[in-house]
Amino acid sequence: MKTLITPTLSLYIYTIGLLLGGALASPALHAAAVRGDNDAVLAELQNGADVNVVDGRQLTALHAASHAKQEEAVRTLLRHGASTQLKDGRGLSVLHLAALGGSEGVQIHMY
């Protein structure tokens, strides 16, 4: 029997993975980006957080925000110099993750 993974299911699996397998070990910037807490994202950046820091899964905050469809966080991270060229531990770029998450709005900000 063939199992189909839809974009919604993919986002759910990814988010659960972040929450259980990565978010607790992720930098605060990543956690704020996934939640879409733009005030916390800005506070972390203003307090000197490296916008391109990676967590244990080689995800940047931009990867996490892109896949979680957090457009405001994506814009903020990009304005503060987040790289769109970095790839995660699976070799996926932020544009790949935005597409997997089904977020056209986030994809537009990448151009």
Side-chain angles (χ1 to χ4, degrees):
M1 175 178 267
K2 196 173 189 180
T3 303
L4 299 177
I5 297 182
T6 66
T8 302
L9 181 57
S10 174
L11 177 61
Y12 178 76
I13 291 168
Y14 177 83
T15 303
I16 293 299
L18 265 181
L19 293 174
L20 297 179
L24 295 176
S26 296
L29 181 60
H30 289 62
V34 168
R35 288 191 317 269
D37 185 346
N38 202 54
D39 291 335
V41 169
L42 281 170
E44 288 296 321
L45 294 170
Q46 290 169 350
N47 287 325
D50 178 355
V51 73
N52 290 311
V53 68
V54 296
D55 67 7
R57 295 171 63 184
Q58 298 300 303
L59 294 170
T60 65
L62 186 59
H63 282 107
S66 296
H67 195 69
K69 302 180 191 179
Q70 300 296 347
E71 291 184 45
E72 187 175 2
V74 166
R75 284 192 299 273
T76 298
L77 292 164
L78 289 170
R79 279 195 307 268
H80 284 84
S83 174
T84 59
Q85 303 303 310
L86 297 175
K87 295 189 177 176
D88 71 5
R90 298 175 296 168
L92 300 176
S93 71
V94 294
L95 189 55
H96 288 124
L97 292 177
L100 284 172
S103 178
E104 292 177 19
V106 169
Q107 293 173 47
I108 289 168
H109 296 297
M110 300 297 162
Y111 293 103

